[in-house]
Amino acid sequence: MGEARSVYIVAAERSGDLLGAGLIRELKAQTGDDITLAGVGGKAMAAEGVDSAVDITGLSILGFFDGLKSFGLLKERVAQTVADIIRTKPDMVVLIDSWGFMLRVAQGVREQDPDIRLVKYVGPQVFATRPGRARTLAGAVDHLMTILSFDAPYYEPHGLPVTFVGNPTLDRMPTGDGPGFRARHGLKPDRDVLLVLLGSRSSEVRRLWPSFEGAVKRLMEDRPDLQPVFLVAEPVEDILVPRLEAVGWFHVGEDEKADAFAAADTALACSGTVVTELATVGVPTVTGYRLGWLTWALIRALRVMKAPFISLVNIAAGRMLVPEFVQTRCTPSRLSGAVAEFLDDPQRRSALGDELMAATRELRGEGDASRRAAETVLTLLQAD
């Protein structure tokens, strides 16, 4: 590739940080470290040698009114990110997920230095809501690397080139040791394990905790032998662990994720990437979600939701493989009832596990998504 090219990678929350880390690792491997990397991100990117130029704490924002409350912070971090990119003057900027933040960064960079190539990694889900974002993104960046095989027709009519690289998150799912996990933590091998995941955003934990706590209590009242295990994401340890310890519930960290997945008979999870991860390894899952009430009211009033489901697994399958309970339907009784149906029917669980794994194969693509993302970045750099 001649002289070393430079790439600036931006991630504003945990999921993007992990995608960024995978991309960094592959860029180094494919260039023999003959590439200059810088960026904004979290611990995962830092572990790959790219320390963040901007503090991303507090940028994991979801919902219109949550965004308004944090607008000052967001605006400040956008300005800092744009300033560092202009100072660094990379050949390319890769903007990962986080629609609102990345759009503002892209617009700021484009305004100050239009020669810097801008690549978006993970597009907004325009198939589900706000299709106008496809045109907006096409006017803000030069290329889209998508993790969804069905994204291209939404963007290409607006002149935005699209490359499907697959979903790196699903590549990261190693085979876990379920029996070892149970033995390590004193969980009985002949009793059901319910894995509970409340998301990686503090707002998700606060809104879902009453419903999830109530659901688990109901299930344990009817099934005293049930073994609930809470898998706690690193960004929400401070807010979630004290709640779990207050009621005496067992929890583990993300370092035991693969083994916990392998040990689970079923799961109760916050809607998001983790639902797709669970489906990839065949864990029957019930999912719930709550937005802020003002945001929810706005979504309902404007009828911006287009997709029939909120889970990618259900969208890919075209039917409800993962029971979904959103907003007013996300209640302890409904969640516990749906989980109980899985617990009471081992044969259904087994059959559903196979269906879930089949539904995620297309989402996963050909595998090695981070490698293909890096190949795309390097190809685009060579084309300059």
Side-chain angles (χ1 to χ4, degrees), residues 80-102:
Q80 291 171 345
T81 301
V82 171
D84 195 62
I85 291 170
I86 298 303
R87 180 190 64 80
T88 306
K89 198 173 175 55
D91 297 302
M92 177 184 292
V93 176
V94 179
L95 305 163
I96 305 178
D97 212 351
S98 302
W99 165 251
F101 184 86
M102 299 305 168

Side-chain angles (χ1 to χ4, degrees), residues 325-348:
F325 299 92
V326 181
Q327 211 66 13
T328 56
R329 299 188 71 247
C330 185
T331 63
S333 60
R334 286 194 173 98
L335 294 172
S336 61
V339 172
E341 289 183 14
F342 286 152
L343 293 173
D344 292 340
D345 194 341
Q347 288 186 328
R348 181 188 174 197

Side-chain angles (χ1 to χ4, degrees), residues 196-208:
V196 187
L197 310 97
L198 279 110
S200 59
R201 297 181 175 98
S202 58
S203 60
E204 290 171 339
V205 172
R206 287 194 299 269
R207 290 178 183 137
L208 289 176

Side-chain angles (χ1 to χ4, degrees), residues 184-255:
R184 187 161 67 246
H185 296 295
L187 300 169
K188 302 295 184 182
D190 57 343
R191 296 178 183 176
D192 288 330
V193 167
L194 169 64
L195 189 61
V196 187
L197 310 97
L198 279 110
S200 59
R201 297 181 175 98
S202 58
S203 60
E204 290 171 339
V205 172
R206 287 194 299 269
R207 290 178 183 137
L208 289 176
W209 174 255
S211 296
F212 276 42
E213 178 193 29
V216 173
K217 285 182 175 179
R218 283 172 177 256
L219 288 163
M220 294 184 69
E221 287 172 0
D222 296 334
R223 296 167 175 76
D225 287 343
L226 181 65
Q227 302 176 115
V229 175
F230 286 75
L231 182 61
V232 180
E234 184 268 333
V236 296
E237 287 178 347
D238 291 347
I239 184 174
L240 183 53
V241 169
R243 295 178 188 230
L244 295 172
E245 292 180 345
V247 290
W249 282 342
F250 175 63
H251 58 87
V252 296
E254 288 182 299
D255 58 324

Side-chain angles (χ1 to χ4, degrees), residues 20-228:
L23 178 59
I24 291 165
R25 192 160 49 247
E26 283 295 330
L27 286 171
K28 288 181 175 180
Q30 292 182 35
T31 63
D33 281 328
D34 186 26
I35 190 167
T36 301
L37 298 170
V40 170
K43 293 181 179 179
M45 286 174 55
E48 296 297 332
V50 176
D51 293 323
S52 185
V54 175
D55 182 7
I56 66 170
T57 304
L59 292 180
S60 185
I61 301 163
L62 187 68
F64 178 76
F65 290 98
D66 290 334
L68 283 181
K69 288 186 289 187
S70 301
F71 183 71
L73 174 66
L74 184 144
K75 187 177 179 180
E76 178 184 346
R77 297 293 187 264
V78 166
Q80 291 171 345
T81 301
V82 171
D84 195 62
I85 291 170
I86 298 303
R87 180 190 64 80
T88 306
K89 198 173 175 55
D91 297 302
M92 177 184 292
V93 176
V94 179
L95 305 163
I96 305 178
D97 212 351
S98 302
W99 165 251
F101 184 86
M102 299 305 168
L103 177 63
R104 289 172 174 82
V105 171
Q107 292 170 336
V109 173
R110 179 64 50 88
E111 180 180 347
Q112 296 189 44
D113 191 342
D115 292 333
I116 296 176
R117 176 164 290 207
L118 302 174
V119 175
K120 186 72 169 66
Y121 188 6
V122 186
Q125 295 182 355
V126 295
F127 59 86
T129 180
R130 302 182 188 179
R133 288 181 171 181
R135 183 187 299 275
T136 301
L137 185 62
V141 303
D142 301 298
H143 200 95
L144 170 64
M145 297 192 299
T146 178
I147 64 173
L148 300 176
S149 61
F150 48 80
D151 258 348
Y154 293 94
Y155 294 96
E156 289 177 338
H158 301 292
L160 181 62
V162 176
T163 301
F164 169 57
V165 298
N167 193 329
T169 301
L170 306 185
D171 290 341
R172 292 198 299 264
M173 295 308 302
T175 301
D177 180 5
F181 180 87
R182 289 185 180 230
R184 187 161 67 246
H185 296 295
L187 300 169
K188 302 295 184 182
D190 57 343
R191 296 178 183 176
D192 288 330
V193 167
L194 169 64
L195 189 61
V196 187
L197 310 97
L198 279 110
S200 59
R201 297 181 175 98
S202 58
S203 60
E204 290 171 339
V205 172
R206 287 194 299 269
R207 290 178 183 137
L208 289 176
W209 174 255
S211 296
F212 276 42
E213 178 193 29
V216 173
K217 285 182 175 179
R218 283 172 177 256
L219 288 163
M220 294 184 69
E221 287 172 0
D222 296 334
R223 296 167 175 76
D225 287 343
L226 181 65
Q227 302 176 115

